[in-house]
Amino acid sequence: GKDDIITFDELCEIYGFGRREAIRYLNTKGCPVLPRSKGQPYKVVKSEFDEWLKGKDDNKKKTMRLLFAALNL
């Protein structure tokens, strides 16, 4: 369902992330990772992570567009 909570391993599997890449995303400011105690596994709500990832991607595209515009490419 839309509010599925997925584990770190599922995250890697669904999005095709390597473990290091997944950890980098999960530690990014603003990532909707669920609160956890130290040493507990990472978990995210899939729909929230999807939205966040899409927003990150859009921002990256916007930045590239501005950069190209500035360089007149």
Side-chain angles (χ1 to χ4, degrees), residues 4-8 10-11 14-15 42-46:
D4 284 352
I5 290 175
I6 55 174
T7 63
F8 182 77
E10 290 170 324
L11 187 83
I14 292 166
Y15 298 96
Y42 288 102
K43 288 193 170 94
V44 297
V45 178
K46 186 175 183 316

Side-chain angles (χ1 to χ4, degrees), residues 52-67:
W52 178 74
L53 206 56
K54 208 170 83 206
K56 256 179 86 54
D57 211 44
D58 289 345
N59 281 341
K60 209 160 60 191
K61 286 194 195 107
K62 203 156 54 204
T63 306
M64 292 303 282
R65 267 204 308 275
L66 292 171
L67 191 64

Side-chain angles (χ1 to χ4, degrees), residues 11-22:
L11 187 83
C12 291
E13 204 175 302
I14 292 166
Y15 298 96
F17 294 154
R19 298 184 76 78
R20 201 174 290 159
E21 188 183 10

Side-chain angles (χ1 to χ4, degrees), residues 9-34:
D9 289 334
E10 290 170 324
L11 187 83
C12 291
E13 204 175 302
I14 292 166
Y15 298 96
F17 294 154
R19 298 184 76 78
R20 201 174 290 159
E21 188 183 10
I23 287 170
R24 201 174 67 228
Y25 275 117
L26 292 168
N27 285 318
T28 301
K29 195 168 158 49
C31 180
V33 65
L34 295 174

